[in-house]
């Protein structure tokens, strides 16, 4: 979708655009107990980051893209833009073209997957980010500080402005994007795991309308953008505060109707 750009940052999803006017409809989804699971807010309310932090995060993101292989992760320490002496963990996704292999990998994680959706859209491939072990099980403050100091020294002694320490990935999914094809048409579904409600921040210049639906007892948010449309909902992980969020996106300019989007979602609601 040309006018919808998603960037997973900090607490939520930031949607931005370069043109258009906003038909503002900021809404939220709730579970059966009335608790918020997903909320949409204007981008103006997105937490402001210091410029140095933004530059450091951009740099470590670039290093991760350049230096990491598929399905690997590392802790990065950079000398520029890092007066606080902190590290950032970056990872590369694992790519799947075999639905059965992906389903087996995610078994027991309460992530619903479907091999075929709608009227014949078949699974094509998926890109999956897994949680690095050091983020799933954070080390003690003293150990983290010692790692940062070790990497700082390595960065200075190597003549580079960065150092990296490989870390293992866990089997816990952080987020994935799966693509489904029918001929030359394509739809995608983005699935993410959060420890609480997800917040989507939408640029005021994005032209969109949204409508809340209830399908099989689940609240959904149907959103129509200038370049396409989407359908989002959330499910709870039993026994925890964690949530699994789903968002189906029209990828080929089909401009599915609301009813057609719901039909695509039925594969996840069974």
């Amino acid at each position: 979708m040309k006018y919808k750009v998603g960037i997973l940052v900090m607490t939520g999803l930031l949607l931005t655009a370069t043109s258009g006017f906003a038909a503002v409809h900021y809404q939220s989804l709730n579970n059966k107990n009335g608790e918020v699971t997903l909320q949409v807010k204007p981008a103006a309310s997105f937490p402001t980051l210091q410029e140095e932090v933004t530059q450091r995060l951009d740099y470590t993101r670039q290093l991760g893209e350049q230096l990491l292989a598929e399905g690997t992760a590392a802790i990065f320490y950079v000398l520029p833009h890092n007066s606080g002496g902190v590290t950032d963990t970056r990872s590369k996704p694992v790519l799947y073209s075999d639905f059965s292999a992906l389903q087996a990998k995610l078994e027991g994680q309460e992530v619903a997957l479907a091999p075929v959706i709608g009227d014949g859209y078949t699974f094509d491939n998926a890109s999956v980010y897994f949680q690095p072990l050091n983020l799933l099980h954070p080390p003690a403050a003293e150990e983290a500080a010692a790692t940062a100091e070790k990497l700082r020294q390595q960065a200075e002694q190597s003549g580079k402005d960065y150092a990296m320490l490989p870390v293992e990935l866990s089997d816990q999914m952080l987020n994935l994007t799966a693509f489904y094809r029918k001929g030359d048409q394509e739809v995608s579904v983005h699935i993410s795991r959060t420890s609480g409600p997800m917040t989507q921040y939408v640029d005021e210049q994005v032209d969109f309308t949204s409508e809340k639906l209830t399908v099989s007892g689940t609240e959904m948010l149907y959103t129509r953008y200038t370049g396409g449309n989407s359908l989002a909902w959330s499910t709870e992980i039993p026994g925890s505060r964690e949530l699994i969020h789903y968002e189906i996106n029209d990828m080929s300019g089909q401009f599915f109707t609301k009813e057609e989007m719901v039909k695509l979602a039925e594969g996840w609601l069974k």
Side-chain angles (χ1 to χ4, degrees), residues 2-4 16-22 203-207 226:
K2 181 179 179 181
Y3 295 94
K4 184 188 173 204
T16 62
T18 56
S19 63
F21 249 131
D203 191 314
E204 290 81 352
Q205 296 304 306
V206 172
D207 185 11
T226 301

Side-chain angles (χ1 to χ4, degrees), residues 65 69-72 91-96 126-130 169 175:
E65 286 295 320
E70 175 190 336
T72 65
S91 64
K92 277 281 190 71
V94 180
L95 306 180
Y96 290 88
S127 173
V128 187
Y129 282 90
F130 293 97
L169 290 175
N175 64 76

Side-chain angles (χ1 to χ4, degrees), residues 9-262:
V9 210
M10 294 182 59
T11 58
L13 184 70
L14 178 63
L15 306 181
T16 62
T18 56
S19 63
F21 249 131
V24 181
H25 297 277
Y26 301 109
Q27 303 206 49
S28 62
L29 297 180
N30 301 80
N31 61 18
K32 294 178 181 179
N33 297 322
E35 300 168 324
V36 173
T37 59
L38 183 149
Q39 56 190 342
V40 181
K41 294 183 177 182
S45 64
F46 188 78
T48 303
L49 296 177
Q50 294 182 351
E51 181 62 24
E52 181 188 53
V53 174
T54 300
Q55 291 179 339
R56 189 197 80 241
L57 291 173
D58 284 345
Y59 187 29
T60 57
R61 190 177 298 113
Q62 292 172 16
L63 288 173
E65 286 295 320
Q66 295 170 6
L67 301 175
L68 294 176
E70 175 190 336
T72 65
I75 300 171
F76 285 89
Y77 187 102
V78 295
L79 298 178
H81 320 300
N82 196 6
S83 60
V86 299
T87 61
D88 297 305
T89 300
R90 298 297 179 191
S91 64
K92 277 281 190 71
V94 180
L95 306 180
Y96 290 88
S97 58
D98 185 317
F99 178 81
S100 296
L102 174 59
Q103 189 175 45
K105 182 68 174 181
L106 299 179
E107 184 176 2
Q109 296 195 45
E110 302 295 334
V111 179
L113 292 171
V116 181
I117 61 175
D119 59 348
Y121 284 83
T122 303
F123 175 85
D124 185 68
N125 67 86
S127 173
V128 187
Y129 282 90
F130 293 97
Q131 186 78 291
L133 278 176
N134 65 310
L135 298 183
L136 184 62
H137 304 294
E142 296 81 3
E143 182 181 349
T147 297
E149 176 59 20
K150 178 181 178 180
L151 290 175
R152 182 192 66 80
Q153 293 178 13
Q154 289 180 5
E156 291 180 342
Q157 294 168 6
S158 68
K160 302 176 182 178
D161 58 7
Y162 70 89
M164 58 185 287
L165 175 66
V167 293
E168 291 186 29
L169 290 175
S170 71
D171 289 333
Q172 185 180 101
M173 182 210 74
L174 183 59
N175 64 76
L176 70 82
T177 302
F179 297 92
Y180 291 79
R181 298 192 64 84
K182 178 184 176 183
D184 60 354
Q185 295 183 330
E186 184 177 68
V187 296
S188 72
V189 59
H190 184 76
I191 306 175
S192 58
R193 180 184 188 127
T194 65
S195 58
M198 172 177 280
T199 302
Q200 294 182 340
Y201 296 91
V202 183
D203 191 314
E204 290 81 352
Q205 296 304 306
V206 172
D207 185 11
F208 77 103
T209 58
S210 63
E211 177 184 354
K212 286 177 66 171
L213 314 173
T214 300
V215 180
S216 301
T218 299
E219 284 196 354
M220 296 185 166
L221 189 61
Y222 171 67
T223 305
R224 192 171 183 86
Y225 298 89
T226 301
N229 51 21
S230 69
L231 185 66
W233 70 96
S234 303
T235 62
E236 297 171 282
I237 297 180
S240 76
R241 297 290 297 174
E242 292 187 305
L243 299 167
I244 303 293
H245 305 276
Y246 299 84
E247 183 173 1
I248 299 177
N249 291 292
D250 165 2
M251 298 292 290
S252 304
Q254 297 100 307
F255 293 104
F256 293 120
T257 65
K258 178 172 54 181
E259 292 73 21
E260 288 171 327
M261 291 295 284
V262 169

